[in-house]
Every structure is written in C-alpha cells, then in structure tokens.
Amino acid sequence: MNKNKNKRWGMIAMALTAVLLMGGCGSGGGKAGGGSAQPSGPEAGGSDGPTYSFRLAEAHPADYPTTKGDMKFAELVKERTNGRITIDVFPSAQLGEEKAVIEQVQLGAIEFTRVSTGPMAEFNKDFGVFSLPYIFDSDEHVWNFLLGETGMSMLDGLQSSGLQGLGWYSSGSRSFYSAKPLKSIDDLKGKKIRVQENKLNLAIMDALGASATPMAYGEVYSSLQTGVIDAAENNYPSYYSSKHYEVAPYLLLDQHQRVPEVLLVSKTVWDKLSEEDQAIIRQAALDSIDYQREEWAKYEKESEEAVRAAGVTITEVTDLQPWKDAVKPVIESYRSEYRNVLDAIEAAK
C-alpha cells in the first residue's frame, strides 16, 4: 500500500480546497441535500459549525470491501468533527441500484455514494476510459495512475456533471464467467453477456464476437439461472458474494478490465459546506483508501479460495495477445477522445 503517496495527495487536496474555495460557499445551517442540518455554532471545522446528517448509498452488502471503505470514511468524518457531521451508510442497494443512485446524487436527494466507474461513463464521458480493455497491466499500475496528477484531477472534473469526486477505491480486475464451459476467446462468440451499461462495453463485446446485454446487477443471478444471459463478467469478490458461481461455475481469467470505484458527493451538497468541512470530508475520503485496499486484498483472496472450494472450473489466460488484437480497433476508435488520459496511464507503468 502506498500510504506516503495517499498522505501527500491528502495534503495537496486540502491546499487546493482552501485556494479554490476561498471566499467560502458554506451555508451555516438549514438542509444540505436529503439529510438534515441543525445550526450549532460558528461555521468552522472540528466540533464548531452546523450539524449534518447525510446518507451514503452502497450497492454491495455490509461485509463487502467497498462498504467497509464507506464505513471507515464515515467514521473518520464523524471522529474529526466530534460527531457534528454524520454519514449513515445504506448497503445492499437499499437506496437503489447504482445508475439510479447517481441520478439522485446529482439532484442532491442522496448526498453520498460509492459507485463503479463503469456506469459513470454515462454521466461523465471522461470516465469511459476505465472501461477500455487491457490498458492496465497490474493493480500497482492502476494505483500509480489513480493517485497521480491526472487520476486525482479527474475527481474534480466531475463537477461539470453535478458531482464531486472524493477518492478512489479498489475493485480488482474483471473476468468472464459462464453457465457453460468457457476456456478461450472463441467460447465467447455468440454468447449473451451481461455488462455494465455504457457504450464502450457494448463495443468491446461486439469486438469479442459476443452479444452485450446491459442489466442491473441485482438481476444477474436469476438471468444466469434462467438462461436469459449466458455469461457475465466481474471480479472475484463480486462473483463470490453475489453467489453467481452457483449458476455460472466456469470462470475464464482474462482480466480484461480494471475498473476502479469512486466515492462521490452531490455538488449541490458540497457547495453548501464550508471550506473547512470540505477539507475534512475530502481528507477522510483519502485516508480511507488504504483501509479499503487492504480489505479488498483480503476478501479477494478469500473469494478465490471459496469459489475454488465450491468446484468452480477456473481457466487462466496465459496468452493475452489474441484478446488484445480483437479489441485493438475499439481502443483505437477512442484514442483521440482519451489521448491525454491514455498517455498518463502509459506513463504510470
């Protein structure tokens, strides 16, 4: 874990907040988004200032690594404001599936959320770059980019979409799994494969000879079980926690995407907070990253061991060249749109 890098970016984030938001945009009381706020003193950080009670929407279960990251973030905010700002985490899609939640966060009806960057491409085109296949070589490569200048600047770039990015969380790599034997790229041809909803994923599946089927995450198990779809793709923890391995016991480890998670706050809510509160919240998000990454690494290992023990047939792709060749036209078609980001990703190796 690169804790020194996280701390360095945390200090930069706090400094940028102070500079960019000089003059203040805090409201000093009243409501911010769908949560409640009660005035309780002068507007300042720590224990002074208005109180807020916010909600954070999470699609995964309470024991999932992203949810644990959310809870660590909320814990740090509460601790650093002496209970003045509380953030209640709602796991298991209690507040809705990710796409619907993003829309609610844009409106300020829900204050915070943690979502995959996959569906974020429909709200901010820059985030589509994360869906490009095989652009990251390893987890270390991903984090070198995310915690670098371009990765961190993308969080603030969400303001034009009515959102404010706070930090990145890990989600490992995504591979294919199917209800029927899956051993090579040829086995994907003609298969109906569930994907996260964005145009780039549709193009990737087409390049691989498969038929992309966008659908909500909560519908995947029954769709695999009933044959509505033939296959899906995700990381080890999601494959295990969703119990998809029960109805799709063939896993092909091609690691085609490494799609990070992003912690968000509504810009409507963000703009009502004082610069001091913004700095506290931003720093808490950055400080929760190492914890979430550690939890992810542990759960990823446990998930792999569990699905292997359950009898899942796992095939590792040893030669990625045919896969890269198949999707190369997709990457090239988006290169001009994402040139600067792709250059930064290449430099982060």
Side-chain angles (χ1 to χ4, degrees):
M1 307 305 168
N2 199 336
K3 296 187 178 182
N4 289 334
K5 188 173 287 185
N6 281 1
K7 290 178 180 178
R8 173 161 58 86
W9 278 112
M11 294 174 67
I12 292 172
M14 292 182 71
L16 286 173
T17 300
V19 172
L20 294 174
L21 299 170
M22 193 63 69
C25 55
S27 60
K31 290 194 174 184
S36 62
Q38 299 295 328
S40 64
E43 192 167 85
S47 59
D48 296 324
T51 62
Y52 297 103
S53 177
F54 296 134
R55 297 176 299 165
L56 191 158
E58 168 62 60
H60 290 297
D63 61 349
Y64 197 80
T66 55
T67 313
K68 289 184 176 181
D70 301 335
M71 291 177 175
K72 172 59 73 172
F73 162 62
E75 174 190 319
L76 292 174
V77 171
K78 183 176 182 179
E79 175 185 295
R80 294 172 184 180
T81 60
N82 294 317
R84 183 172 57 79
I85 300 178
T86 60
I87 301 171
D88 293 320
V89 178
F90 290 81
S92 302
Q94 293 179 59
L95 301 183
E97 294 285 354
E98 288 190 352
K99 184 177 180 181
V101 163
I102 295 169
E103 293 170 347
Q104 291 300 301
V105 173
Q106 283 182 312
L107 296 172
I110 297 173
E111 296 85 18
F112 293 84
T113 189
R114 184 290 319 158
V115 295
S116 168
T117 54
M120 281 297 298
E122 297 297 308
F123 298 86
N124 185 290
K125 66 180 183 63
D126 292 344
F127 275 61
V129 72
F130 293 116
S131 292
L132 286 172
Y134 310 111
I135 58 172
F136 293 109
D137 296 334
S138 64
D139 190 58
E140 181 182 6
H141 184 192
V142 173
W143 282 98
N144 284 343
F145 170 76
L146 293 179
L147 297 177
E149 182 178 357
T150 302
M152 295 301 289
S153 69
M154 289 179 73
L155 297 175
D156 288 330
L158 287 170
Q159 291 182 7
S160 61
S161 302
L163 304 162
Q164 172 63 51
L166 297 173
W168 305 103
Y169 282 167
S170 184
S171 68
S173 60
R174 301 176 73 92
S175 294
F176 294 100
Y177 50 89
S178 173
K180 296 179 180 180
L182 200 58
K183 295 182 179 180
S184 72
I185 188 172
D186 293 332
D187 292 331
L188 295 180
K189 298 188 184 305
K191 293 288 194 302
K192 293 176 291 183
I193 302 177
R194 181 266 175 179
V195 295
Q196 292 178 308
E197 189 172 354
N198 68 52
K199 290 184 292 186
L200 218 166
N201 279 331
L202 303 182
I204 293 169
M205 293 304 112
D206 185 58
L208 292 173
S211 175
T213 307
M215 69 170 56
Y217 184 66
E219 299 174 11
V220 177
Y221 186 100
S222 61
S223 296
L224 285 166
Q225 189 176 42
T226 59
V228 172
I229 56 175
D230 302 305
E233 47 84 50
N234 218 315
N235 51 55
Y236 261 125
S238 292
Y239 179 53
Y240 172 60
S241 67
S242 63
K243 300 187 184 299
H244 290 175
Y245 67 92
E246 294 179 344
V247 289
Y250 297 93
L251 178 62
L252 183 61
L253 285 176
D254 72 303
Q255 299 181 316
H256 54 276
Q257 290 172 325
R258 296 177 186 270
V259 183
E261 313 282 346
V262 60
L263 190 61
L264 304 171
V265 61
S266 169
K267 189 173 185 298
T268 299
V269 174
W270 185 249
D271 287 346
K272 292 179 181 179
L273 298 172
S274 68
E275 61 192 55
E276 293 86 358
D277 283 347
Q278 288 178 341
I280 289 170
I281 290 171
R282 191 191 293 265
Q283 187 63 48
L286 294 173
D287 289 345
S288 71
I289 292 174
D290 280 333
Y291 173 79
Q292 192 275 337
R293 290 180 66 186
E294 290 167 2
E295 289 297 313
W296 181 271
K298 287 192 295 184
Y299 196 42
E300 189 170 51
K301 183 178 180 180
E302 293 169 3
S303 299
E304 179 181 355
E305 292 173 351
V307 298
R308 285 185 183 276
V312 169
T313 299
I314 299 174
T315 302
E316 296 188 27
V317 177
T318 56
D319 181 11
L320 280 175
Q321 199 56 51
W323 299 77
K324 291 181 178 180
D325 290 344
V327 301
K328 186 176 180 180
V330 177
I331 295 176
E332 292 307 313
S333 69
Y334 281 90
R335 186 169 295 280
S336 61
E337 184 174 349
Y338 298 126
R339 185 175 304 280
N340 292 338
V341 181
L342 287 173
D343 288 346
I345 290 173
E346 182 67 22
K349 287 185 177 180

